[in-house]
Amino acid sequence: MPGFIPWPEPWAERYRRAGHWRGDTFGGLLRALAGRFGGRTALVDGERRWSYRDLDQKADRLAAGFARLGLGPRDAVVVQLPNTAEFFAVIFALFRLGALPVFALPAHRSLEIRYFCEFTRAKAYVIPGAATGFDYRGLASGIRDTVSSVEHVIVAGESPGASGGVIALDDLLDEPHDQFVSSAGPTGGDVAFFQLSGGSTGVPKLIPRTHDDYILSLRGSVEICGLDDTSVYLAVLPVAHNFPLSSPGTLGTLLAGGTVVLAPRPSPDEAFPLIERERVTITAVVPPLALVWLEAAATLRHDLSSLRVLQVGGAKFGPEAAARVKPTLGCQLQQVFGMAEGLVNYTRLDDPDDIVIHTQGRPISPDDEILVVDDDDREVPAGAVGHLLTRGPYTIRGYYDSPEHNARAFTPDGFYRTGDLVRLTPLGYLVVEGRAKDQINRGGDKVAAEEVENHILAHPAVRDVAVVAMPDAFLGERTCAFVIARGAAPKGVEITRFLRDRGLAAYKIPDRVEFVDAFPETGVGKVSKKTLRAAIAAKSRGGAPS
Ligand code: OOB
């Protein structure tokens, strides 16, 4: 596939020989699961319960329906669905067809969606129905009118016969279909879908993951997290994200024959009753949500006794909060440090508290290679902090169709430069100490500084801008934009409204805008973001309003 960088053949051969890559595909896997677990509950969405057989049949019908629309192998389809059962019918149908889902997040808006559609020349765009509180139909009609590749907008969760030029997913599910087999169906080594990178560049990067590599990461995660057919996983984070999708997440739970419960919202008053009702055994949250749950557990009277594991990841979880999980929620904490590009680290369920509280875990696979290096790519002494580089059987060798960026983001011998600053403990656990990439980690939501800067620069009253992280007790970090105005400074809210109107996702819109006359510079005349970060940290500690 043009734009996809495969593992060099000697590596592929090695991963196959080691049994990491077994040639399975997601479409085939679901068929096998339906054979094995047939009538058992795969998905719970509100009052709806789909068995493994239901999911398999819906994927068949939908694959046939998609094929009738003219979708086929390697066609990209942007999927932007919330935590609903339809998400799984759609992605398994696309997997079976060999079409490629692009996993957009519900929070993405026209700027992001347009870019994904244009960059992948997506043929279709799948949106949720009216119940979400945001007008996805309006967004979609703007996309279809302006992006020529997008032939179909498909809306999930609305009654059949949807109008206004969109197709109701239910209409495609209508016709019974025998087992769908695509004549040019995918093989294990093929790209299965695109994940999105948190990124640090002007535009988001697309991450091509293969059936082989992703299924390996699922198998490893299932084992490490002790999932089996009695496991009940509660999906509270947006299901399209790599963490709740695969670590072990919804797909790992299905692979183990367990039950996935879909939470519409992550707040304790929605999630706790679901944990009680469905006897949930494992769930995954980001650190700010963990804090909210810890507070709520003290006051809300729900029976959380079924919960065995609370996974926390996506951003650094401080040791003070980490130490409260077991006493407060009565379950084991598992720290998860992963990335959509591949590498995922877990603390193990039988690790001593000290490791669980103070480290971000160790890799899934013995073939995950980890290097901690200095600015010149030389390995640092044992235990010292450095840049994390990684290579392995489920870590990509390049972003999709991005040769220039790839030359910077990967070493010549194929290690991915994660942009994270870590140290290794003597037992091989990673501790995340910071970040070298120009990104803000807003409670697990990743914001690429350059992307936001580019959009702010489009405002006519802005001469220059630098976006940095500012510390925040709840989210860990928030976003601050330092702006040099042309002439009289506009109000901060004019900048944020401008970004919203342009169609930037809300989580990328700066929390604070500071107008300055000039930027501090480094010795070589570059903007010193370090000085700006220190300035806003000092100012926000002082509590001065913007
Ligand atoms: C997960 O994936 P992404 O792609 O949204 O973000 C990856 C980045 C990492 O490079 C790191 O900077 C940060 O998120 N991160 C953490 C962390 N987990 C992720 N930083 C500190 N401590 C942690 N525990 O965020 C992701 C993907 C799969 C599983 C879990 C998280």
Side-chain angles (χ1 to χ4, degrees), residues 166-427:
V166 305
I167 297 160
L169 192 77
D170 280 2
D171 280 337
L172 298 176
L173 274 166
D174 223 19
E175 277 180 45
H177 197 280
D178 291 342
Q179 296 197 346
F180 181 89
V181 182
S182 163
S183 53
T187 63
D190 286 331
V191 174
F193 56 81
F194 294 106
Q195 270 286 353
L196 306 174
S197 160
S200 54
T201 55
V203 287
K205 293 281 171 288
L206 287 130
I207 298 170
R209 300 289 301 259
T210 65
H211 294 267
D212 270 338
D213 95 67
Y214 215 62
I215 291 171
L216 156 67
S217 81
L218 292 175
R219 274 201 318 268
S221 299
V222 163
E223 196 185 316
I224 289 165
C225 302
L227 294 196
D228 60 25
D229 59 3
T230 65
S231 300
V232 182
Y233 177 90
L234 182 70
V236 291
L237 300 174
V239 282
H241 187 271
N242 200 57
F243 182 17
L245 191 64
S246 72
S247 305
T250 57
L251 294 182
T253 304
L254 294 177
L255 190 67
T259 298
V260 170
V261 179
L262 297 158
R265 274 164 298 277
S267 59
D269 51 335
E270 304 251 9
F272 287 8
L274 280 174
I275 295 175
E276 180 175 307
R277 186 183 91 184
E278 302 295 336
R279 305 297 295 157
V280 168
T281 60
I282 177 168
T283 187
V285 297
V286 287
L289 191 55
L291 297 178
V292 171
W293 281 25
L294 286 171
E295 288 306 312
T299 52
L300 294 181
R301 294 272 157 256
H302 290 283
D303 176 7
L304 306 181
S305 61
S306 59
L307 196 62
R308 286 204 287 267
V309 182
L310 180 76
Q311 299 183 295
V312 183
K316 175 92 179 226
F317 194 40
E320 300 75 23
R324 288 169 54 206
V325 169
K326 203 187 269 181
T328 311
L329 293 170
C331 65
Q332 176 63 288
L333 165 67
Q334 180 175 54
Q335 296 220 36
V336 189
F337 163 40
M339 52 208 72
E341 287 81 357
L343 179 72
V344 179
N345 305 278
Y346 296 101
T347 56
R348 302 310 199 250
L349 300 182
D350 56 358
D351 277 338
D353 285 350
D354 186 45
I355 287 183
V356 174
I357 289 169
H358 291 102
T359 83
Q360 279 65 58
R362 60 184 164 88
I364 292 178
S365 169
D367 279 327
D368 282 320
E369 298 170 73
I370 297 286
L371 292 175
V372 184
V373 302
D374 65 16
D375 290 344
D376 299 316
D377 283 352
R378 283 180 306 232
E379 280 194 71
V380 299
V385 177
H387 302 274
L388 170 63
L389 310 184
T390 186
R391 185 168 72 173
Y394 61 98
T395 296
I396 56 164
R397 292 299 185 115
Y399 292 103
Y400 177 60
D401 205 7
S402 306
E404 278 169 33
H405 181 62
N406 285 339
R408 289 190 299 274
F410 294 81
T411 66
D413 49 1
F415 280 85
Y416 167 56
R417 299 181 189 277
T418 65
D420 293 312
L421 296 173
V422 302
R423 67 184 163 81
L424 265 174
T425 72
L427 291 175

Side-chain angles (χ1 to χ4, degrees), residues 42-111:
L43 294 165
V44 179
D45 176 355
E47 298 309 312
R48 293 189 296 164
R49 283 167 190 273
W50 288 4
S51 68
Y52 278 84
R53 203 175 297 120
D54 293 336
L55 179 59
D56 185 46
Q57 284 173 357
K58 284 174 199 289
D60 277 333
R61 289 179 178 203
L62 207 47
F66 286 152
R68 282 200 301 278
L69 290 180
L71 300 178
R74 284 175 296 286
D75 286 337
V77 174
V78 173
V79 178
Q80 187 180 28
L81 292 177
N83 292 8
T84 52
E86 282 77 12
F87 173 86
F88 296 91
V90 167
I91 66 168
F92 276 104
L94 294 172
F95 291 152
R96 223 160 239 181
L97 199 57
L100 308 174
V102 181
F103 287 129
L105 297 172
H108 286 137
R109 293 293 174 259
S110 61
L111 276 172

